[in-house]
């Protein structure tokens, strides 16, 4: 073998070794990258993806008027339930019309007790037709749950969600303000705080019309009897003759800033408000005006209520919107409140639930284009998707719906 030939063979062997080494290193790098770049598994949040089946293992009314009914739910798969943040809600897929199982109704209900790995609880208020509108049908989802769903039935629910939850820092006293059925997330927060942070001051202001409408009366009275750090303020706007001040309620009238100022000790508090839109519209600006930092005022409206603080005015661009699945191309003229209303007005079938950016039911793949949101959504939107209920087009769009 000649010298140049030997040199060539040595160089080839070296290059081969370098190539194999580089290949292995690249393969290892790709494996590591794939591990870290994989979408965050749902298990990281201790929850599940999609729908999970729950058996109704009990139900009972919580108020004398029998308008608020609790449903106790146990997972059909028998596996332990993950923890959730007190204040979060579940999204349900209900099928009130057995003839149309493919057109379910999506509704959100707050978890009304502290997390328990065996069973959860929601509490649903029956929603009548609006006052003076007997021509309109009463609430479909709440009516179905009240009238048809019994122990033994199975309901589909998404994992707990929502950004309205109790700050776990025990150093800051919590002021929970509930109007009507807005008591549900507050009860979850209060029950959790009393079990896990018994020294933390918790002030619950609960406004209802009268004693017949007060839910969880016994539970709340027991909290007040057994937890010195729990302060209960029941405000009845129109007490019945047999509702006794001091025994059944503390204040006659509505919850307002004057009552909060009178009842709360000095110092920093975290405020949590859940109730009708009128309550949010009066209390949130009043608290901010009193000097409470915006970061200490948390609120949730049950439904598509517009939020009381000024929202960015998002007009939306005049643009074409292509709904790929339904094969429709429509001109956005800026009149619809959001893409969900726009789709529904034009007869395009889309799923929806809270209509407030919380549940994710209206999440749709954004094939191309850009949207802007009327306010920041609570729901974590998957990359390349958008929430129709809060979005308006910024450019021409192609949506998967
Ligand atoms: C995050 C979140 C948490 C929630 N938590 C709870 C909870 O813990 N407990 C609870 O009870 N609720 C809760 N809700 C509210 C709940 O999701 C439902 O919105 C509520 O039960 C009403 O639903 P429904 O199907 O009964 O009423 P819908 O059928 O949606 O009707 C709502 C109202 O519209 C009226 N209506 C019907 N047709 C028309 C029409 N053509 N024009 C005008 N009005 C009409 C109905 O009469 C009724 O008054 C929550 C909502 C959200 C977003
Ligand atoms: S309908 Fe709930 S996020 Fe849009």
């Amino acid at each position: 073998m000649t010298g140049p030939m030997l040199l060539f063979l040595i160089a080839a062997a070296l290059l081969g070794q370098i190539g194999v080494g580089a290949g292995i290193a690249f393969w290892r790098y790709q494996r590591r990258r794939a591990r870290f770049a994989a979408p965050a598994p749902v298990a990281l949040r201790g929850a599940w993806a999609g729908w999970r089946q729950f058996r109704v293992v009990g139900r009972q009314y919580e108020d004398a008027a029998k308008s608020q009914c609790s449903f106790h739910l146990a997972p059909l798969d028998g596996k332990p339930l993950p923890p959730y943040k007190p204040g979060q809600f579940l999204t349900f897929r209900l099928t009130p019309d057995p003839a149309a199982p493919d057109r379910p109704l999506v509704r959100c209900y707050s978890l009304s007790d502290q997390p328990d790995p065996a069973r959860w609880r929601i509490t649903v208020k029956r929603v009548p037709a609006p006052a003076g509108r007997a021509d309109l049908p009463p609430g479909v989802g709440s009516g179905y749950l009240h009238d048809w769903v019994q122990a033994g039935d199975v309901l589909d629910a998404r994992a707990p969600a929502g950004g309205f939850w109790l700050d776990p820092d025990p150093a800051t006293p919590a002021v929970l303000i509930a109007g009507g059925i807005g008591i549900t997330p507050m009860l979850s927060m209060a029950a959790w705080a009393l079990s896990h942070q018994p020294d933390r001051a918790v002030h619950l202001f609960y406004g209802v019309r009268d004693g017949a409408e007060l839910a969880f009366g016994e539970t709340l009275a027991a909290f007040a009897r057994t937890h010195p750090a729990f302060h209960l303020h029941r405000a009845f706007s129109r007490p019945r003759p047999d509702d006794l001040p001091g025994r059944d309620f503390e204040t006659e009238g509505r919850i307002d800033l004057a009552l909060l100022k009178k009842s709360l000790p000095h110092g920093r508090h975290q405020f949590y408000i859940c109730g009708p839109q009128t309550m949010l519209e009066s209390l949130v600006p009043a608290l901010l005006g009193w000097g409470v930092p915006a970061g200490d005022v948390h609120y949730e409206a049950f439904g598509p209520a517009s939020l009381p603080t000024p929202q960015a005015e998002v007009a939306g661009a005049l643009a074409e919107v292509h709904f790929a699945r339904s094969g429709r191309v429509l001109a956005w003229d800026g009149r619809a409140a959001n893409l969900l209303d726009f789709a529904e007005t034009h007869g395009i079938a889309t799923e929806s639930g809270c209509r407030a950016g919380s549940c994710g039911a209206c999440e749709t793949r954004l094939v191309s284009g850009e949207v802007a949101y009327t306010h920041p959504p609570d729901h974590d939107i998957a990359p390349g998707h958008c929430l129709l209920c809060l979005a308006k087009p910024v450019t021409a769009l192609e949506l998967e719906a």
Side-chain angles (χ1 to χ4, degrees):
M1 190 183 293
T2 62
M5 213 184 226
L6 188 65
L7 268 177
F8 173 77
L9 282 178
I10 293 171
L14 273 175
L15 279 175
Q17 260 189 340
I18 291 170
V20 170
I24 291 172
F26 183 69
W27 174 75
R28 283 198 181 134
Y29 163 76
Q30 288 290 19
R31 237 175 38 144
R32 212 174 47 235
R33 205 168 76 106
R35 208 181 315 141
F36 287 107
V42 169
L44 268 184
R45 291 185 293 168
W48 60 92
W51 300 99
R52 187 169 176 181
Q53 291 190 303
F54 285 81
R55 179 152 332 265
V56 176
V57 291
R59 53 171 277 170
Q60 85 267 346
Y61 290 105
E62 304 289 1
D63 57 338
K66 295 195 169 179
S67 67
Q68 297 162 76
C69 186
S70 282
F71 295 85
H72 298 266
L73 308 168
L76 208 59
D77 59 22
K79 294 187 185 146
L81 291 165
Y84 55 83
K85 293 176 175 162
Q88 289 194 304
F89 62 85
L90 294 178
T91 301
F92 289 86
R93 180 167 62 181
L94 307 173
T95 42
D97 182 357
D102 51 332
R103 274 192 284 119
L105 205 64
V106 178
R107 292 288 181 271
C108 305
Y109 293 102
S110 301
L111 288 145
S112 60
D113 203 352
Q114 60 177 313
D116 176 327
R119 49 150 72 183
W120 287 347
R121 183 181 70 189
I122 57 163
T123 307
V124 179
K125 184 175 170 87
R126 185 193 281 281
V127 177
R133 292 298 311 269
D135 55 311
L136 291 175
V140 183
S142 58
Y144 166 69
L145 285 161
H146 272 249
D147 297 336
W148 294 98
V149 174
Q150 302 297 337
D153 287 343
V154 173
L155 298 173
D156 293 345
R158 286 206 172 122
F164 182 69
W165 38 268
L166 182 71
D167 179 346
D169 178 5
T172 320
V175 181
L176 314 178
I177 306 174
I181 189 62
I183 189 66
T184 50
M186 305 308 182
L187 203 56
S188 175
M189 293 184 194
W192 181 85
L194 297 183
S195 300
H196 294 85
Q197 305 173 332
D199 296 330
R200 181 179 188 175
V202 175
H203 303 263
L204 174 64
F205 293 83
Y206 180 18
V208 288
R209 191 176 49 195
D210 57 31
E213 233 184 48
L214 187 96
F216 302 104
E218 260 313 303
T219 307
L220 295 174
F223 283 176
R225 266 197 317 274
T226 52
H227 292 84
F230 178 74
H231 308 277
L232 178 62
H233 309 258
R234 292 158 298 183
F236 286 8
S237 58
R238 267 191 285 151
R240 300 167 301 179
D242 53 345
D243 289 329
L244 275 190
R247 184 194 67 182
D248 301 317
F249 65 101
E250 282 69 40
T251 302
E252 179 167 352
R254 294 186 191 281
I255 300 166
D256 58 11
L257 187 61
L259 176 66
L260 298 177
K261 280 181 171 174
K262 193 172 73 180
S263 317
L264 293 174
H266 285 295
R268 183 178 165 210
H269 296 86
Q270 290 274 355
F271 291 85
Y272 299 85
I273 312 170
C274 185
Q277 197 180 345
T278 45
M279 178 184 242
L280 298 182
E281 279 171 352
S282 69
L283 278 180
V284 174
L287 286 170
L288 299 177
W290 188 24
V292 179
D296 289 352
V297 182
H298 316 268
Y299 51 82
E300 180 163 80
F302 280 176
S306 56
L307 297 169
T309 44
Q311 299 303 319
E313 190 44 53
V314 179
L318 301 182
E320 274 191 345
V321 183
H322 180 188
F323 291 91
R325 199 181 309 125
S326 36
R328 306 272 302 276
V329 181
L330 300 166
W332 171 270
D333 59 8
R335 276 188 296 176
N338 51 57
L339 283 164
L340 180 61
D341 281 4
F342 183 66
E344 287 175 349
T345 311
H346 290 91
I348 294 167
T350 43
E351 225 184 286
S352 67
C354 65
R355 307 182 81 97
S358 303
C359 70
C362 67
E363 187 169 341
T364 301
R365 195 160 80 84
L366 182 58
V367 183
S368 65
E370 201 186 319
V371 296
Y373 290 105
T374 50
H375 66 265
D378 270 348
H379 175 75
D380 293 334
I381 307 170
H385 288 62
C386 68
L387 288 186
L388 298 182
C389 69
L390 296 185
K392 291 185 178 188
V394 171
T395 63
L397 300 180
E398 183 173 347
L399 297 163
E400 196 176 60

